[in-house]
Amino acid sequence: MRQEDREKAGGVTTTLTGLRKVLAAAGLESLWQIPGWQPAESIRLLPLGARTAPARGASKFGGDPDLPSGAVWPLIGKRALSFLAQIHLPDLKPFAAASGLPKRGQLWFFADTLDIPRKGGSACRVIYSTAATATLRSASPPVDASSTPLSDIFPVRAMRFQSILSVPERIPESLDPELREALMALINPEGIVHKIFGYPNRIQNPLTGKAGSETLLLQLDSDRRLDMQWGDAGRLFLMSSGRDPGGTEFNNCSVAIQSY
């Protein structure tokens, strides 16, 4: 599918009523009867049109992060992790999916996008801080002796948010092949979906483990508006095996890509 078509394509639902209608139309009403099958709320991240730099500390994709004074750019060996996105946490107050997060401060997402194994395991880091916005400073990635950045740099785009529902990424074995294909179309929608939390929109194998032991922190789709291309029209996933009770640290972070 062309990029223009992916930008216009839907494939996400915003309400439980809407999801019920979608499942009914696909002949998947029986999913509600399966123990443990339950959709989850996610927060969709939508890039705004202009490439003008957002205000300091504002939620955004790419550009230079607005880091707290004294913060060190995360590295893996001699290579800098790439800055992906910055979230101003007060923006998430209206969304139930963010109920476990602090109500103030910022989150910054970094990953080693220069070397992402297909099976995951590459380095990533999520930084949380409650530093006052006035104390944040725009930070540029480290460079080598020839002033070449040691990470990928993505164009800056402001973002807005939308509450959406995501369906479990595991397909019940009881479904016949036709219904399995219909459910896979919901798990892996045609449209571009950037989001935090909920179930991953996997393209290949499930990412959360059989016991659901991993949490989706951030999903970034291939999107020319952000100069992001993960394999062949794939998606990048930041996963974590644990988050502290206060929601201020993301532990055992890993990054993976899946594509066609």
Side-chain angles (χ1 to χ4, degrees), residues 9-238:
V12 298
T13 52
T14 59
T15 66
L16 192 59
T17 299
L19 180 59
R20 287 186 178 277
K21 289 181 179 179
V22 170
L23 293 176
L28 292 166
E29 303 99 319
S30 62
L31 290 174
W32 299 106
Q33 311 303 320
I34 298 176
W37 194 92
Q38 184 67 36
E41 293 184 330
S42 296
I43 302 173
R44 191 177 189 183
L45 314 177
L46 295 159
L48 298 180
R51 288 195 179 190
T52 55
R56 179 168 49 188
S59 298
K60 64 181 181 179
F61 299 94
D64 290 332
D66 302 317
L67 294 176
S69 177
V72 177
W73 192 286
L75 305 172
I76 174 171
K78 296 182 179 181
R79 190 163 61 237
L81 300 187
S82 303
F83 171 63
L84 301 173
Q86 170 178 300
I87 304 268
H88 182 58
L89 287 172
D91 293 342
L92 304 185
K93 286 182 179 179
F95 301 97
S99 60
L101 289 174
K103 306 305 180 189
R104 53 189 294 263
Q106 271 86 19
L107 289 175
W108 295 268
F109 296 89
F110 293 83
D112 179 17
T113 58
L114 296 177
D115 182 21
I116 306 175
R118 289 280 176 163
K119 294 184 179 180
S122 186
C124 63
R125 186 176 175 195
V126 182
I127 300 174
Y128 167 72
S129 174
T130 57
T133 301
T135 68
L136 301 179
R137 296 292 181 268
S138 179
S140 299
V143 297
D144 62 18
S146 63
S147 298
T148 301
L150 298 173
S151 71
D152 284 327
I153 298 178
F154 302 103
V156 62
R157 289 283 184 134
M159 68 171 67
R160 66 181 180 89
F161 303 92
Q162 178 188 34
S163 179
I164 61 173
L165 291 175
S166 56
V167 298
E169 58 171 347
R170 291 192 172 276
I171 299 177
E173 295 181 0
S174 58
L175 292 184
D176 63 41
E178 184 176 346
L179 293 181
R180 290 172 67 88
E181 183 176 347
L183 179 54
M184 192 61 202
L186 297 178
I187 294 172
N188 176 22
E190 291 184 338
I192 294 173
V193 186
H194 311 295
K195 68 181 183 181
I196 53 176
F197 309 139
Y199 296 107
N201 294 117
R202 68 173 175 94
I203 298 171
Q204 299 170 359
N205 296 327
L207 288 150
T208 54
K210 291 185 178 180
S213 55
E214 292 186 290
T215 300
L216 174 67
L217 303 179
L218 175 69
Q219 172 180 300
L220 292 175
D221 219 318
S222 290
D223 190 337
R224 68 175 183 180
R225 296 169 296 181
L226 304 177
D227 199 19
M228 293 180 178
Q229 181 68 31
W230 316 117
D232 182 9
R235 295 188 178 106
L236 176 146
F237 307 92
L238 264 65

